[in-house]
Amino acid sequence: MDGFLDETCGGVTELRVHGVAGTPPEGTLNHPHPRRVAGDGVTGFHRRWWPGGRPSGDDADVPEQRRREAYAWGGLTSGGWSVALWLPLLPFSLANLSYFMLPRPARGARLRHVTEAAQRLFALLLTGTLVGAVTRAAVDLVGWQCTAAGGACTRDAAPGWLSWLGALWGSEPSKRLAVTALAPLLVVVVLWWPARRTWKRDERTAIPPGGVLRASVPQAGVPRAGVPWAGLPLARPRLWHGGAPVWRLRVVHVAFAFASIGLAVSVPFAGTPRGLALTVANAAVQAAAVVLVLLPWIARRLDPGEEVPRWLTYACRGLRLAAPLVLAATIVLAVAGLGAGAPGRRLPGAEIGALHMALMAGAGGFILLATWVLARMDRPAVPPALGGLAGWFTLMIAAGAAHVLGLGLLFWTATSLGGPDRGIVLGDPVWWTAALVPLLLLGVLAVALALRLIHKAETARLAPRLAHHYGQRHGGAVAGTWALAALTDRAGLVLAVLTGAGVAGLAAVTVIHRFHLFTPAGGVAGLPAATGSWAMAALVAGLVLLGRRTYTDLRLRRTIGILWDVCTFWPRAVHPLAPPCYTERVIPELITRVGRLARTDRDQVILSGHSQGSVIAAALVLQLEPELRRRIGLLTHGSPLRRLYTAFFPAYFGAPALAAVRDAVPWHNLYRLSDPIGGPVFRRVDPLGEGPGGGDGVDRFCWDPPRPRPGQPLPEARGHGDYWLDPLYGEALDRLTRVKR
């Protein structure tokens, strides 16, 4: 190729790791002509290509001396079309997040293990919630109600793609249920297929023979030599290698989903011998899934030398075989005919749904109590978000999102079929849940008002102090920018208000429904229930349209990818059908690359992590061998390490883990008060007190926006981006460079 491209590995390499939104290599390198030198089209390492030939100057690439390299990992979360299918999986991702928010005090190991089992059960019931909603929409509303003899779908105005069911089998409900059960079965297959594909791509990422990571893995129970902090959860190599446990969990969840579909088809005919046998078989599959998901070994990630009981693997293989066979037998026998079925306008089997809801409520209550106890045992140096209960709040948000999506599908389906006016019955519990939506909207408005008042008060506090630096003319504008960025620290308030409103409302409507105080069909409750039903139906329609646009629009995929960049940093610990954890591929690839770039003591790698890239870089440092760490420097900027990760994930990114990173490698962290995401790692430097550059040797404050010259307009604030353009970036890079040429 013409031009110049440095492909050597010796000397000093500034290895940049980008943050959210899938920043392209040209943006990370700040260079218009990137070329990939390692990796593939999904993740890759890129360097600057100079079309005019070998460059000169202090910033140029020089073979065997210095170079700039970028690691692009955004293709894992924002590059592929499958991102369009991830939006309904948000509850599953939140369930995984809640697991890593759980406090991990040394004295509470047994209680934590029981709590983790309850989290796995809760995640399993989330799968049942979404699959159950699709099953009810298809099997109940369409197969049992609408296409029955005399139903809305058998009339002249009914769509042809539905009326044939009633015309053929209007008086044979088992056949109608068997056909409509194919819809939720297709949904389960759609959930299973990407999960399996990404499992093979990410959780099972192969480490090359003799790779750095393979050499760094300790034997079971033996800490790595020279690594006093190897017991930290973030330093365990097994954290990023979950092939076996994710496979076991996936088997359990898919089996549970299959059995829930089978029960919807078989329970109405439990009064017949074949219907009863099918009901018992499907219930046994569900019970086996529940028992397996509660076992402590089912999701355990292992270091080399450790093994799970062999019978557990056999049990999962047996369940993987039994679940589809039982479902296939159910559908085949239903097509052959199971009789008239139980009477009733609604599909029989509501007791099973009530049991699932009771289990979910019981598991949620136990997790709340246990998390509170664990949080009282654990006293981290930095107070965690929501008093250590952030995991429970996140789990409740996951449950709320799952129910909103499920009910939205039900209301959308019922509306498409003609609604209550054409004989479609949903039941009072569904309408009562819909009545909660306006309550949640009021909670959102209350939070917005509170944040507005907080922003106004903080702006008023900062403006007089900033007037000295920026002048009276610009001090107020800068104060408003800084105060707006500080609202990120109120994320706990948003979680608490929304969750509190949802839980309180659910408890209230449960009591009202249980004691039949009044119905949601009219009166005071009628308007909120109707408003909520339309809102949830509109949400489902909006998700469909958004997914369609995401499929074809790369920019929109990158925007939505920001959500997954944060959520899928963490492994699929309790829910295997969530979007994949990119870190399980990223960490091994970075370890291998860093080992190649820093093979001798004459070589050095400066890891430059921006935003989420700083989180990846910090996790990477704790995975490296001591010999390799001596050749590493760390430069983070716009980092959410303390602001978000220490607050919400103290067991993994608490003070001990951050101190371990600081002790392991030379480290500088740049931050701005105009940045809504990044911040200091160890302690906030007061720029109006100490001035820029003060602190503990790691955190370096950057003024933003820069102070304007007399008579000049106020420069635009950079906020969360372009840290490498700040003069302090170059200074920090020079201080970290140990190898001089």
Side-chain angles (χ1 to χ4, degrees):
M1 134 179 28
D2 295 332
F4 173 79
L5 177 66
D6 176 21
E7 297 188 66
T8 64
C9 293
V12 179
T13 304
E14 177 195 353
L15 179 55
R16 294 183 173 182
V17 184
H18 66 74
V20 299
T23 306
E26 54 267 28
T28 307
L29 291 171
N30 194 27
H31 187 77
H33 306 294
R35 290 290 185 274
R36 189 170 71 239
V37 294
D40 54 31
V42 180
T43 61
F45 296 88
H46 300 76
R47 292 187 181 176
R48 296 177 291 182
W49 174 64
W50 307 88
R54 184 164 178 163
S56 60
D58 294 337
D59 189 46
D61 296 329
V62 181
E64 300 297 343
Q65 291 193 25
R66 66 173 183 266
R67 68 200 53 80
R68 181 184 301 167
E69 185 169 299
Y71 177 58
W73 54 270
L76 294 171
T77 57
S78 57
W81 61 266
S82 60
V83 174
L85 302 176
W86 288 3
L87 287 171
L89 305 183
L90 180 60
F92 301 165
S93 285
L94 294 177
N96 284 321
L97 282 183
S98 72
Y99 172 86
F100 292 99
M101 294 177 180
L102 190 68
R104 298 173 63 95
R107 297 183 294 120
R110 290 185 178 180
L111 178 59
R112 177 171 55 82
H113 291 157
V114 177
T115 309
E116 290 170 352
Q119 288 182 314
R120 293 193 297 272
L121 175 61
F122 199 97
L124 185 68
L125 295 171
L126 284 179
T127 298
T129 298
L130 287 182
V131 174
V134 179
T135 302
R136 185 170 178 189
V139 177
D140 182 6
L141 300 188
V142 176
W144 184 264
Q145 297 187 41
C146 194
T147 57
C153 296
T154 62
R155 301 168 189 170
D156 294 339
W161 61 277
L162 283 180
S163 60
W164 68 272
L165 272 176
L168 283 178
W169 300 316
S171 59
E172 297 182 85
S174 68
K175 297 182 179 182
R176 302 196 310 270
L177 299 191
V179 172
T180 52
L182 297 178
L185 177 60
L186 177 61
V187 169
V188 175
V189 171
V190 169
L191 290 175
W192 167 82
W193 180 76
R196 182 180 183 276
R197 183 178 62 86
T198 55
W199 168 73
K200 294 177 68 175
R201 184 194 70 186
D202 299 325
E203 276 96 348
R204 301 184 69 193
T205 299
I207 305 300
V212 179
L213 184 63
R214 185 180 297 276
S216 71
V217 175
Q219 294 298 316
V222 180
R224 284 183 282 175
V227 189
W229 32 263
L232 292 172
L234 194 63
R236 300 296 296 269
R238 70 184 187 184
L239 177 63
W240 309 116
H241 298 278
V246 172
W247 172 80
R248 292 191 294 266
L249 283 173
R250 191 175 71 246
V251 168
V252 170
H253 279 247
V254 171
F256 187 87
F258 277 173
S260 68
I261 299 171
L263 284 171
V265 176
S266 63
V267 165
F269 312 97
T272 67
R274 285 192 298 178
L276 179 61
L278 293 173
T279 300
V280 171
N282 283 289
V285 170
Q286 274 209 337
V290 170
V291 170
L292 285 176
V293 86
L294 291 173
L295 296 179
W297 308 284
I298 191 73
R300 182 168 293 172
R301 292 169 179 247
L302 303 177
D303 287 324
E306 297 179 334
E307 294 183 357
V308 298
R310 187 168 298 179
W311 62 263
L312 180 62
T313 301
Y314 293 148
C316 290
R317 289 175 179 172
L319 186 64
R320 182 177 62 173
L321 180 63
L325 287 179
V326 170
L327 178 60
T330 302
I331 292 178
V332 168
L333 291 177
V335 170
L338 293 176
R345 295 178 62 191
R346 292 180 57 195
L347 183 71
E351 298 80 6
I352 297 176
L355 176 61
H356 287 181
M357 285 296 297
L359 283 175
M360 182 173 282
F366 173 78
I367 293 169
L368 173 60
L369 178 61
T371 304
W372 182 83
V373 173
L374 290 171
R376 301 289 74 76
M377 293 181 182
D378 193 24
R379 298 292 182 181
V382 179
L386 297 168
L389 299 179
W392 180 82
F393 282 96
T394 302
L395 201 59
M396 293 303 103
I397 294 291
H403 281 91
V404 166
L405 288 174
L407 292 176
L409 177 62
L410 283 178
F411 283 117
W412 183 80
T413 305
T415 302
S416 301
L417 298 176
D421 293 339
R422 302 192 68 181
I424 302 300
V425 180
L426 292 175
D428 283 358
V430 173
W431 289 103
W432 274 122
T433 308
L436 294 178
V437 173
L439 177 64
L440 291 176
L441 293 177
L442 290 176
V444 171
L445 292 176
V447 168
L449 178 60
L451 293 178
R452 172 62 179 164
L453 295 176
I454 292 171
H455 174 259
K456 185 176 180 180
E458 183 66 8
T459 301
R461 186 187 71 84
L462 287 174
R465 303 180 68 193
L466 290 173
H468 174 72
H469 184 78
Y470 288 99
Q472 293 291 340
R473 178 185 175 188
H474 301 303
V478 177
T481 300
W482 287 16
L484 185 63
L487 291 181
T488 305
D489 298 324
R490 310 290 179 170
L493 170 67
V494 177
L495 269 178
V497 171
L498 294 182
T499 306
V503 171
L506 181 61
V509 298
T510 300
V511 171
I512 292 172
H513 173 66
R514 177 68 179 80
F515 293 100
H516 306 287
L517 300 182
F518 49 90
T519 66
V524 177
L527 180 60
T531 303
S533 68
W534 282 105
M536 287 190 286
L539 174 64
V540 170
L543 284 177
V544 172
L545 294 176
L546 183 61
R548 184 177 178 180
R549 280 199 58 198
T550 303
Y551 184 86
T552 58
D553 190 335
L554 178 60
R555 290 188 62 184
L556 183 59
R557 283 206 301 271
R558 287 178 175 169
T559 301
I560 295 177
I562 294 175
L563 174 67
W564 305 120
D565 289 343
V566 177
C567 288
T568 58
F569 170 83
W570 295 105
R572 296 188 269 205
V574 297
H575 207 299
L577 305 181
C581 168
Y582 59 85
T583 323
E584 301 216 36
R585 173 169 171 169
V586 165
I587 292 293
E589 288 185 347
L590 281 171
I591 290 175
T592 303
R593 186 62 179 174
V594 168
R596 184 179 180 187
L597 293 173
R599 286 181 289 188
T600 71
D601 288 337
R602 294 174 297 173
D603 306 323
Q604 185 183 14
V605 173
I606 309 296
L607 288 169
S608 175
H610 174 250
S611 188
Q612 191 68 14
S614 71
V615 183
I616 295 172
L620 171 66
V621 165
L622 296 187
Q623 297 287 324
L624 299 177
E625 280 284 279
E627 180 181 357
L628 185 57
R629 291 201 316 272
R630 292 195 294 268
R631 304 168 194 155
I632 303 299
L634 179 60
L635 175 56
T636 56
H637 36 102
S639 173
L641 275 169
R642 182 185 180 104
R643 196 171 195 178
L644 296 179
Y645 281 80
T646 298
F648 287 93
F649 308 99
Y652 291 84
F653 284 97
L658 296 181
V661 176
R662 179 182 57 192
D663 296 340
V665 296
W667 185 8
H668 289 304
N669 176 66
L670 309 181
Y671 74 99
R672 305 167 177 149
L673 292 185
S674 60
D675 187 343
I677 305 298
V681 175
F682 291 99
R683 65 186 183 92
R684 184 178 296 278
V685 178
D686 183 0
L688 305 177
E690 298 182 38
D696 62 356
V698 172
D699 292 314
R700 304 277 297 176
F701 172 76
C702 303
W703 285 101
D704 186 59
R707 184 177 181 178
R709 295 181 179 180
Q712 295 295 318
L714 182 70
E716 184 178 355
R718 295 193 179 114
H720 189 53
D722 293 343
Y723 271 88
W724 55 76
L725 301 180
D726 196 289
L728 283 181
Y729 184 92
E731 295 177 17
L733 194 63
D734 289 340
R735 284 196 300 271
L736 289 171
T737 303
R738 174 184 55 81
V739 178
K740 305 295 183 181
R741 298 284 177 169

